[in-house]
Amino acid sequence: MSTSERLTPDILVFKSFLTKEESQKIIEVLETQVANEKLSWTPITFYESYSSVLPQDGDEELDQFGLPSDFFSTLQNKIIDAVAEVHNKPSSDIHKIGFHAQKWEPGAYAKEHSDNTDLQGNTGPFERSRYAAFLYLNDEFEGGQLIFNKQNHTLIPETGTLAAFAGGFDNTHEVTMITSGIRYTLGSFWDDRAPEDYPQETIDAWDEEMKKIREEQEVIKSEWQDALKDGYRIDLDGNKYKIEENK
């Protein structure tokens, strides 16, 4: 049974949001679908992190690993309810921006960031990611702690735990480097406004800005992917180091 702890007015942690068995089955479904080339792990800009879309209701792998055919849509609704609870809003006001799986390899980390502003608090094309929720699917790894810098809170991931919080400048956060093992999460972003609530000119401006951001991100991703091919990782300070020396 899930229990919750409110760390701050807009950071809520739900323990046992999923069971360990359900969490492990999600990982098995994801990796099986990747092996079957139904899904793929795609590099993202958080160093040595990869994302994938989620399986669909009715996929045979859900039945293979003993999950209900509507497992992921039911889970999405459950997360919506949790996000609504954090912010004291009706679930009908919560609109999905993104919902995906993430795989964090050894050496992966995320520097301090805000989910819907830059580090100076300026809004932009990520403004709609007002709320975030991260579900931890395993804890058999070292590192990978979620740190809220301004609140001085450190969350050590536990299997089946959901962390839900406001994604803005007040909640800048980082993920410490994975030193061993693989970290699996389900990440999601939400807004309390529907797309039609935003002026079209604002949406158009965001689209143009996003194109530039994605181009910059592709350069960053290619740099660390090239380094990996040469047998190097890149640390938090941007320095290369031999993978064999840091197992």
Side-chain angles (χ1 to χ4, degrees):
M1 182 177 180
S2 179
T3 59
S4 62
E5 177 185 3
R6 192 174 288 274
L7 301 182
T8 72
D10 57 7
I11 302 175
L12 194 57
V13 175
F14 298 83
K15 301 277 189 166
S16 302
F17 194 81
L18 288 182
T19 66
K20 290 186 176 182
E21 183 180 22
E22 288 172 325
S23 301
Q24 179 59 36
K25 287 179 177 180
I26 292 174
I27 295 173
E28 291 171 341
V29 168
L30 287 168
E31 291 295 10
T32 298
Q33 290 203 335
V34 169
N36 293 339
E37 298 184 345
K38 291 184 177 180
L39 300 179
S40 62
W41 292 115
T42 303
I44 61 175
T45 49
F46 291 142
Y47 183 73
E48 265 288 64
S49 299
Y50 302 81
S51 72
S52 169
V53 298
L54 295 176
Q56 300 295 306
D57 283 356
D59 283 354
E60 61 183 355
E61 289 83 4
L62 275 70
D63 182 63
Q64 177 183 346
F65 290 102
L67 291 175
S69 61
D70 62 349
F71 180 83
F72 285 97
S73 60
T74 300
L75 177 59
Q76 175 176 298
N77 290 333
K78 188 178 176 183
I79 293 174
I80 288 173
D81 291 341
V83 171
E85 179 181 341
V86 177
H87 306 289
N88 194 29
K89 293 180 178 290
S91 297
S92 58
D93 282 357
I94 305 302
H95 302 273
K96 183 174 70 174
I97 305 302
F99 187 23
H100 61 277
Q102 267 185 264
K103 182 178 184 179
W104 302 68
E105 297 277 359
Y109 55 82
K111 293 183 178 181
E112 182 179 6
H113 64 281
S114 161
D115 289 327
N116 81 335
T117 71
D118 62 21
L119 283 177
Q120 287 71 49
N122 302 308
T123 58
F126 295 102
E127 183 177 333
R128 294 199 65 215
S129 297
R130 296 179 187 277
Y131 309 130
F134 292 92
L135 181 56
Y136 300 101
L137 301 181
N138 71 323
D139 51 25
E140 299 86 19
F141 53 85
E142 298 294 329
Q145 299 174 354
L146 176 64
I147 299 178
F148 292 95
N149 303 280
K150 296 175 181 176
Q151 293 82 359
N152 198 29
H153 279 301
T154 297
L155 177 62
I156 299 174
E158 296 180 3
T159 302
T161 293
L162 178 79
F165 52 91
F169 182 65
D170 290 339
N171 285 335
T172 58
H173 52 280
E174 63 182 288
V175 177
T176 62
M177 182 182 287
I178 310 296
T179 56
S180 67
I182 297 175
R183 179 184 190 260
Y184 289 92
T185 61
L186 297 186
S188 57
F189 299 96
W190 311 87
D191 193 3
D192 56 6
R193 304 177 192 179
E196 56 268 23
D197 293 336
Y198 294 88
Q200 187 60 48
E201 64 226 45
T202 298
I203 295 174
D204 292 342
W206 285 346
D207 287 344
E208 286 303 311
E209 189 175 348
M210 184 64 77
K211 289 178 184 178
K212 297 177 183 177
I213 291 172
R214 294 305 186 202
E215 289 173 359
E216 293 170 356
Q217 290 175 339
E218 287 301 319
V219 172
I220 294 170
K221 286 189 289 187
S222 64
E223 287 176 351
W224 63 259
Q225 287 286 290
D226 288 344
L228 282 173
K229 292 175 184 177
D230 293 335
Y232 290 90
R233 291 197 179 108
I234 302 173
D235 65 20
L236 282 158
D237 297 319
N239 301 311
K240 291 183 179 180
Y241 63 91
K242 270 287 188 182
I243 292 175
E244 292 79 8
E245 297 172 0
N246 292 272
K247 290 183 178 179

